Amino acid sequence: MNELEIGDYVRASQDSFSRVYSFSHLDHVMRAEYVQIYMQGLANVLEISSNHMVFANHKFIRASEVKVGDTLGEKNNTHKVTDIKSVMRRGVYAPVTESGDIVVSGALASCYVALLDHAPIDQHA
């Protein structure tokens, strides 16, 4: 994430890429707490802020709502969550793609955070 620049293309789904057109957060020095999500069959760990949304169990939810046993990913490319931890890291990065989606460490994530509690709407949409 710390090497991404506006204009770069990133994976936005299993079959497509999308251009980064902005950053909602970009700070190489700031320290922040991240949720670490470990998934079966993936060597990389997803580190994401608790309010960022991920595609879990066929819908977008806050990363903080993911539970062990949930599946992350999309359609035919899902991975079972095996462990969840928290960690402090230096650097805050939130690229915004033209599609609004981004694949990070094998998991489909939203470029957006969930701001409303108990909203009866799809906040990613």
Side-chain angles (χ1 to χ4, degrees):
M1 286 294 172
N2 64 345
E3 296 177 5
L4 276 179
E5 295 180 0
I6 292 175
D8 287 350
Y9 282 82
V10 295
R11 186 169 298 282
S13 72
Q14 185 175 348
D15 301 322
S16 68
F17 289 81
S18 188
R19 188 175 67 89
V20 174
Y21 76 88
S22 184
F23 284 85
S24 58
H25 284 104
L26 179 58
D27 187 322
H28 299 286
V29 179
M30 183 177 167
R31 291 185 56 80
E33 184 174 357
Y34 291 95
V35 176
Q36 285 185 321
I37 301 175
Y38 295 79
M39 294 169 280
Q40 188 174 32
L42 295 177
N44 294 328
V45 176
L46 172 62
E47 290 188 0
I48 190 167
S49 70
S50 62
N51 283 335
H52 257 94
M53 294 182 285
V54 293
F55 196 68
N57 305 321
H58 309 292
K59 63 183 178 181
F60 279 101
I61 63 171
R62 282 186 174 114
S64 63
E65 296 172 352
V66 173
K67 295 177 180 43
V68 171
D70 286 351
T71 57
L72 270 59
E74 55 182 319
K75 298 180 188 173
N76 301 326
N77 189 22
T78 60
H79 304 279
K80 186 175 181 179
V81 175
T82 58
D83 198 8
I84 300 170
K85 299 177 182 178
S86 65
V87 64
M88 292 295 292
R89 292 279 189 241
R90 184 173 308 281
V92 180
Y93 311 98
V96 181
T97 64
E98 291 174 339
S99 68
D101 303 324
I102 186 169
V103 174
V104 182
S105 299
L108 178 62
S110 175
C111 291
Y112 310 110
V113 296
L115 297 174
L116 305 172
D117 289 330
H118 313 294
I121 59 170
D122 178 351
Q123 292 188 61
H124 172 73

